[in-house]
Amino acid sequence: MNVKRRVAVVGAGITLFRRRLKETGKELSYLAANAALESAGMTMDDIDCVVMGTAPDAFDGIHMKADNLLDGAGATRKPYSRVYVGGGTGVFSPIGGWWHIASGLFDTCLVVAEEKMSPCIPHPQTAFRTIWDPIITRPLNPNLVWIFALEMNRYMKTYNIPKEHIAMVAVKNKGNALDHPSAQLAAKITVEDVLNSETMVWPVQRLDISPPSDGAAALVLTSEDVARKFTDAPVWIDGVGWSLDSAYWTNRDLCFPQYVAEAAKMAYKMAKITDPPKEVDFAEPYDPFTYKELHHMEGLLLAKKGEAPKLTAEGVTQRDGDLPMCPSGGLLGVGNPIAAAGLMKCCEMFWQLRNEAGKRQVSGAETGVAQAWGDLMQVGTVTVFRR
Amino acid sequence: MTVAIVGVGHTSFQSTTPDISFKEQMFEAAVKAYEDAGVNPRKDIASFLTAAEDYYEGYSIFDEFVPDQLGAVLRPVCTIGGDGLLALINGVMQIETGLFDVVAIEAHSKASDILTFPGIVTHGLDPIYNRAFNVHPYFVAGLEMRRYLHETGTTREQCAAVVVKNKQNALSNPSAAFAAKMTMDDVMNSEFVSDPLTRRDISPLADGVIVMVLASEEKAKQLSDHPVWLKGVGWCSDTPWIESRTWSAAEYARLAAERAYKMAGIKNPQKQIAFAEVDDWFSYKELQHIEALGLCENGEAGKLSEQGNFSRNGKLPVNVSGGRIGAGNLLEASALQSVLECVLQLQGQAGKRQVKDAETAVAQSWRGVPTATGCVAVLSSEL
Amino acid sequence: MSEKVKDLRGTRLSAADLESKDTITFRGRPNAKYAWSAGIAYTKYLEELKNGRIVGRRCRQCDRVLVPPRMFCEQCFRATDEWVYVKGTGKINTYSISYLDADANRIKTPILVAVVDLDGASPGIGILHKLGNVDIEKIHVGMPVQAVWKPTNEREGSVTDILYFEPIKEE
Ligand SMILES: [Zn+2]
């Protein structure tokens, strides 16, 4: 199947990412949307439709929260859709925007991703109490980190991965985030710091985990001819992919994220990429936990199964390495307002591919891949951007 | 646009279904829809979309529990946080990109699992401005109905006539949950929930699942002898601030219809539309929506309804299926119930309630209190 | 963040700001209660747990035994065919050691969590549960374990009718 129309990104905006922000979800949406429009030299009058990405309503504490957020996102009296795949939503929201334009129904689309996790008390993780099957899982009183620890252990055991190599992801990403003005947890740390940090759910330690955050991000998408009117340097969405695996996660082998591989294959096929490690210049794999960056590099077919840790240890994934991963600083460094964090990765690709990333700039970046992950370790969402 | 509905499947709609899980209900509807379309989901369906809201389900990230029973494991699957018609429209756009040729849409209600429905609706109100009143959340509908009656001169009796009609229509719909022979007095004398809104003005909740298979033009012609074509789609959200809305008219529906009609080449809806399935969460909403769709002049729907204009044998039948009031309020799935009725009618499969010689129909949805969000689709048996 | 965008927006609050009883927050708790229908598959599963047995469903087309049971096979997309009892024994597929409770509070005595692949189910078909009566240092992937059940009169038809899985003593 051939895609009818090419879709461009012409603007990007972001707010601060912090554990708590004073702005409401509406206000955060507005700040990010406005920043994106400004950067594109556009106003809401230029926008045909709006796509919202935001994770569970339980964080904000508002049922049908997209309907509450819509005026902040500029959607009043416009066609407005909320697309939703749990933690994968951030990278999925521009995919939703993509089909609004690629279908030919619209020429411009504002994509906004918002997350306001701080209203949920006693802890944002309390919202995760209700993500489980109420009949067979909730009676065990699980904490969300359990299942990631189970997956991490399975991954480490299957490929005999040393924890030191996994810890390097935290060192790299928190270091990269020092150059990101939105960053919540930028820091210069060492592998020892990670290994000596508090054990939360073994093998997951404190510095293996990204924080809960408030924040928002936005992109402006247009058709090819409209893009040319607003910018000389559009960035193209050349590949999109998404895939959802079975809800019965205890019936799957957790050592490899097959759903990410399926999503990546779909996106690469559309972008006509046949040799991903050679043809992709940098990537923003989803890194809510250290090991996930590695797991996802493999799912994205940027490393062979079990080999991402070794590449990381060799420095390949550093910002000045052969295949930089998370030059933004990722969720571990910039923060994790869930949907907004995923869209932050797409914003990063936009800035990198326009050579606007300042100190974070990856030299010679022409093709980037962003990916997010979510639900019960089950969904992969992938976008390929090109300059 | 050249996308068609080539298969539909659904459970019956029931006030409660304690013996079966939502997964088992979805499986049943999916099997029927795929059988109707003659497709194998593991091979032939490229993408799956479901319409769901977490608080209706009692799950955060309900998306997790969707793929298995739809045959969608390890395939492109996503949730649309909107009604079934919005999911369908997003599926249409996916096909229109050229990326996919066959897409499945699912919407459902398991309302009987919810023990505190008013609490859930209240949780949709703005937390800072609108939640402090400690009153049934349908006060929003009461406010709107009052202003609508006031501005248009529509009467409570005319709203009650909608209830009588839709319950009556449902008697001919074997899937309907709340068919009844009801009198005007039954409605007028039922207790107020939020004056002027009475209990019988409100559609009762029901359980049910609907699955549809969409296909591109080329694929639709291969798969189906009676594809139902989507000629135009539109959707719109008006302001989320209940304080600053136009209460007297459904602006979101008018704007959505404008877009859908333009796409479908509908210039005179009263002439070009044979019948309509519109949202009737509350009786007065049907009247507002009829006006917003341009099926009569503003403020005239009540009078015309009373005169039988929108009855099954009237000039322009509305909610022949029974709508939410008669077939049951299926939450996000009622929007697909409206589409389902259009499909069955346009295929000549509507049995006892078949509308004669219908070629073009309109389906319209609203997401309920406190939203001002809804969709419109124009459907036709002709390409 | 682009170097071209100088103005970064958002107003940071501290934890103390949120705790203070001023106008910054408006508190509420949703009235959201549910009675989820267990359905055909889970009802049988829970009834059999009460009887001290673990039941799955077989799909004859792919010849898999699925636990927890479901009335459809997600691979073949067809109705599953029959009830199959699996054993209360199995092997640890993966495990973790949790120092967090469900609200992310720190706890002193860790909760031992595992996916246990059950004997009699198809390879890789596991369930989530807890481990008990085990030396933390000795837990390993592949460790043989068995279900420890609540006394018959205390079972209520819940996954918690299994208290935990414990190592099978080598004879
Ligand atoms: Zn099978």
Side-chain angles (χ1 to χ4, degrees):
Chain A
M1 306 286 300
N2 284 321
V3 170
K4 282 183 198 160
R5 292 172 103 199
R6 209 175 182 198
V7 176
V9 188
V10 300
I14 198 166
T15 66
L16 278 177
F17 284 7
R18 288 294 181 272
R19 177 68 179 80
R20 300 164 197 85
L21 289 170
K22 187 171 186 179
E23 286 78 7
T24 62
K26 277 177 196 279
E27 289 163 348
L28 288 173
S29 301
Y30 169 76
L31 294 179
N34 209 34
L37 288 169
E38 267 176 28
S39 83
M42 295 168 102
T43 68
M44 243 2 260
D45 290 341
D46 298 310
I47 297 297
D48 296 339
C49 63
V50 179
V51 168
M52 169 59 72
T54 184
D57 291 5
F59 289 129
D60 298 59
I62 305 174
H63 166 51
M64 303 198 288
K65 74 169 158 177
D67 261 273
N68 185 271
L69 295 170
L70 73 91
D71 56 332
T76 307
R77 294 168 78 85
K78 288 192 193 295
Y80 175 65
S81 288
R82 176 191 188 181
V83 296
Y84 187 37
V85 282
T89 299
V91 171
F92 192 60
S93 53
I95 297 178
W98 170 84
W99 74 57
H100 277 67
I101 294 173
S103 63
L105 262 66
F106 302 96
D107 288 326
T108 58
C109 179
L110 177 64
V111 177
V112 182
E114 171 272 359
E115 215 67 66
K116 178 94 180 154
M117 297 171 76
S118 63
C120 185
I121 52 176
H123 190 280
Q125 281 201 11
T126 304
F128 292 125
R129 275 177 170 271
T130 51
I131 70 166
W132 313 99
D133 186 304
I135 295 158
I136 62 161
T137 313
R138 284 189 218 181
L140 296 171
N141 258 326
N143 178 295
L144 184 65
V145 185
W146 287 10
I147 64 172
F148 306 136
L150 292 168
E151 187 179 62
M152 179 169 172
N153 192 18
R154 184 78 192 165
Y155 177 55
M156 288 168 69
K157 177 74 187 170
T158 303
Y159 300 112
N160 206 8
I161 296 164
K163 185 81 203 286
E164 289 74 13
H165 290 181
I166 294 178
M168 286 174 182
V169 174
V171 176
K172 170 176 69 70
N173 290 4
K174 286 177 190 294
N176 283 351
L178 287 166
D179 300 322
H180 199 302
S182 293
Q184 178 179 345
L185 286 183
K188 207 170 155 46
I189 59 166
T190 65
V191 167
E192 287 66 39
D193 291 336
V194 181
L195 297 179
N196 293 332
S197 66
E198 181 190 4
T199 300
M200 313 290 275
V201 184
W202 183 90
V204 175
Q205 292 174 267
R206 179 158 192 86
L207 291 176
D208 288 310
I209 308 186
S210 60
S213 318
D214 292 351
L219 287 181
V220 181
L221 311 186
T222 72
S223 62
E224 184 161 7
D225 43 334
V226 172
R228 304 285 183 202
K229 283 185 212 155
F230 284 93
T231 179
D232 297 330
V235 167
W236 303 100
I237 302 181
D238 275 356
V240 299
W242 66 104
S243 179
L244 183 61
D245 207 342
S246 167
Y248 299 90
W249 60 273
T250 60
N251 292 179
R252 296 191 254 120
D253 196 333
L254 302 175
C255 70
F256 182 73
Q258 189 61 41
Y259 41 90
V260 173
E262 297 299 324
K265 283 187 241 170
M266 177 176 164
Y268 292 150
K269 189 177 168 201
M270 184 176 147
K272 299 186 170 60
I273 289 174
T274 52
D275 186 354
K278 284 221 175 89
E279 293 173 67
V280 171
D281 298 312
F282 71 99
E284 284 279 338
Y286 203 58
D287 62 326
F289 296 83
T290 45
Y291 80 98
K292 283 315 294 186
E293 172 168 314
L294 306 170
H295 215 220
H296 291 149
M297 269 178 77
E298 295 170 18
L300 288 168
L301 313 174
L302 298 174
K304 296 202 177 84
K305 287 182 185 177
E307 290 192 359
K310 204 174 72 177
L311 295 178
T312 304
E314 289 165 357
V316 171
T317 63
Q318 293 290 332
R319 204 185 270 149
D320 56 2
D322 284 346
L323 190 48
M325 292 292 140
C326 293
S328 66
L331 280 52
L332 290 164
V334 186
N336 188 9
I338 300 177
L343 196 57
M344 176 274 285
K345 289 178 171 291
C346 296
C347 292
E348 181 70 8
M349 293 208 292
F350 176 74
W351 291 318
Q352 290 284 352
L353 295 168
R354 303 234 300 185
N355 209 17
E356 289 176 8
K359 284 194 201 160
R360 300 191 312 284
Q361 188 62 48
V362 171
S363 66
E366 292 191 0
T367 302
V369 171
Q371 174 260 332
W373 162 82
D375 288 7
L376 290 170
M377 306 189 288
Q378 180 184 5
V379 68
T381 54
V382 175
T383 54
V384 178
F385 283 16
R386 279 207 189 93
R387 60 196 261 186
Chain B
M1 279 203 328
T2 49
V3 174
I5 296 165
V6 296
V8 294
H10 63 94
T11 64
S12 66
F13 312 132
Q14 292 174 266
S15 58
T16 179
T17 52
D19 54 330
I20 188 165
S21 70
F22 74 84
K23 289 182 188 174
E24 291 154 0
Q25 286 168 306
M26 277 165 79
F27 179 67
E28 177 193 335
V31 166
K32 288 177 176 169
Y34 303 157
E35 181 67 20
D36 189 35
V39 294
N40 172 351
R42 304 301 293 146
K43 293 197 187 99
D44 305 322
I45 299 180
S47 171
F48 302 78
L49 297 94
T50 194
E53 277 292 347
D54 286 351
Y55 275 100
Y56 284 151
E57 313 293 343
Y59 293 76
S60 285
I61 326 187
F62 179 74
D63 192 63
E64 297 161 355
F65 301 97
V66 167
D68 298 78
Q69 61 275 12
L70 292 181
V73 164
L74 278 179
R75 310 299 279 280
V77 180
C78 71
T79 293
I80 299 297
D83 64 40
L85 191 43
L86 189 63
L88 182 142
I89 290 169
N90 276 279
V92 167
M93 285 191 280
Q94 287 186 357
I95 292 175
E96 285 289 311
T97 65
L99 195 60
F100 302 133
D101 53 6
V102 181
V103 167
I105 312 297
E106 188 275 344
H108 61 275
S109 161
K110 189 72 171 168
S112 67
D113 278 0
I114 304 173
L115 301 178
T116 54
F117 188 73
I120 305 298
V121 178
T122 297
H123 204 48
L125 298 173
D126 187 277
I128 313 288
Y129 294 100
N130 299 139
R131 257 187 230 173
F133 303 126
N134 195 25
V135 56
H136 193 290
Y138 284 172
F139 78 89
V140 178
L143 291 171
E144 182 176 59
M145 183 173 177
R146 169 84 64 203
R147 186 76 200 175
Y148 172 66
L149 298 187
H150 171 78
E151 277 193 43
T152 59
T154 306
T155 64
R156 273 193 57 218
E157 286 77 5
Q158 290 165 349
C159 297
V162 171
V163 180
V164 173
K165 167 180 74 74
N166 290 359
K167 297 252 181 213
Q168 170 81 32
N169 283 351
L171 284 167
S172 306
N173 182 352
S175 304
F178 298 107
K181 217 160 170 56
M182 204 173 270
T183 65
M184 294 285 288
D185 283 346
D186 291 336
V187 183
M188 293 298 292
N189 296 334
S190 68
E191 64 273 26
F192 285 117
V193 172
S194 180
D195 183 359
L197 189 75
T198 71
R199 184 169 62 85
R200 297 236 192 255
D201 285 308
I202 300 169
S203 56
L205 298 175
D207 296 350
V209 181
I210 301 166
V211 174
M212 293 190 180
V213 180
L214 308 181
S216 63
E217 179 177 351
E218 194 189 334
K219 205 74 188 175
K221 286 175 174 166
Q222 284 171 26
L223 287 170
S224 175
D225 296 331
H226 304 284
V228 171
W229 301 96
L230 286 150
K231 307 295 285 185
V233 293
W235 65 109
C236 184
S237 296
D238 201 350
T239 175
W241 299 89
I242 60 174
E243 297 87 344
S244 51
R245 269 180 207 162
T246 310
W247 291 113
S248 58
E251 274 295 282
Y252 52 91
R254 187 181 64 77
L255 292 165
E258 223 168 60
R259 180 175 289 276
Y261 287 161
K262 191 175 168 203
M263 208 181 280
I266 303 272
K267 295 201 176 66
N268 184 344
Q270 293 178 42
K271 281 213 174 114
Q272 290 172 272
I273 304 283
F275 67 94
E277 288 282 318
V278 310
D279 183 90
D280 60 336
W281 195 305
F282 306 108
S283 58
Y284 75 92
K285 278 308 231 183
E286 172 167 318
L287 302 175
Q288 268 194 346
H289 290 147
I290 287 171
E291 291 166 9
L293 291 172
L295 302 179
C296 69
E297 298 304 314
N298 277 347
E300 299 286 304
K303 202 175 68 199
L304 289 169
S305 197
E306 220 171 17
Q307 294 166 0
N309 199 67
F310 306 119
S311 303
R312 200 162 86 211
N313 302 315
K315 249 172 79 185
L316 207 166
V318 172
N319 286 338
V320 175
S321 69
R324 286 195 201 254
I325 287 172
N329 181 347
L330 302 172
L331 302 175
E332 306 290 15
S334 278
L336 273 200
Q337 199 277 132
S338 300
V339 178
L340 172 69
E341 180 69 11
C342 294
V343 171
L344 296 176
Q345 291 283 356
L346 294 170
Q347 291 181 330
Q349 304 281 330
K352 262 169 73 182
R353 64 187 192 283
Q354 183 66 47
V355 175
K356 287 200 182 70
D357 304 322
E359 191 182 295
T360 302
V362 62
Q364 178 268 339
S365 67
W366 171 59
R367 292 197 77 201
V369 169
T371 79
T373 292
C375 306
V376 172
V378 178
L379 300 105
S380 175
S381 51
E382 302 300 315
L383 179 59
Chain C
M1 188 66 199
S2 165
E3 59 180 350
K4 289 188 179 168
V5 182
K6 299 292 177 213
D7 173 24
L8 193 62
R9 292 161 242 196
T11 312
R12 189 184 172 180
L13 288 181
S14 70
D17 289 334
L18 275 188
E19 291 302 317
S20 65
K21 294 236 183 318
D22 55 23
T23 53
I24 288 177
T25 59
F26 179 88
R27 289 188 178 228
R29 173 188 269 273
N31 180 16
K33 297 195 177 73
Y34 307 87
W36 296 280
S37 312
I40 299 163
Y42 280 1
T43 297
K44 175 81 170 174
Y45 186 56
L46 298 179
E47 280 171 359
E48 289 295 1
L49 286 170
K50 199 170 178 179
N51 295 330
R53 296 191 289 197
I54 302 173
V55 71
R57 288 283 291 181
R58 186 196 308 277
C59 170
R60 287 201 191 119
Q61 189 163 311
C62 60
D63 200 28
R64 290 187 308 155
V65 174
L66 304 170
V67 186
R70 57 217 87 151
M71 303 314 291
F72 45 82
C73 172
E74 83 281 5
Q75 293 295 346
C76 310
F77 197 67
R78 62 188 289 279
T80 49
D81 299 287
E82 60 192 341
W83 299 104
V84 179
Y85 291 98
V86 302
K87 297 193 176 140
T89 60
K91 292 196 173 58
I92 293 177
N93 175 294
T94 181
Y95 66 97
S96 67
I97 301 163
S98 181
Y99 295 90
L100 296 180
D101 74 5
D103 285 323
N105 298 305
R106 307 298 197 273
I107 47 176
K108 281 262 156 50
T109 311
I111 303 166
L112 309 175
V113 188
V115 174
V116 177
D117 289 350
L118 294 167
D119 295 332
S122 294
I125 299 288
I127 60 168
L128 175 70
H129 222 289
K130 297 177 189 177
L131 302 174
N133 196 19
V134 60
D135 179 353
I136 289 184
E137 300 298 320
K138 292 194 174 145
I139 306 173
H140 59 272
V141 171
M143 185 183 219
V145 291
Q146 63 191 3
V148 176
W149 296 84
K150 272 185 186 166
T152 315
N153 58 351
E154 289 176 23
R155 288 183 211 144
E156 50 190 355
S158 163
V159 291
T160 55
D161 288 348
I162 297 175
L163 287 167
Y164 50 79
F165 283 78
E166 66 174 8
I168 297 174
K169 304 274 184 301
E170 311 273 339
E171 296 293 319

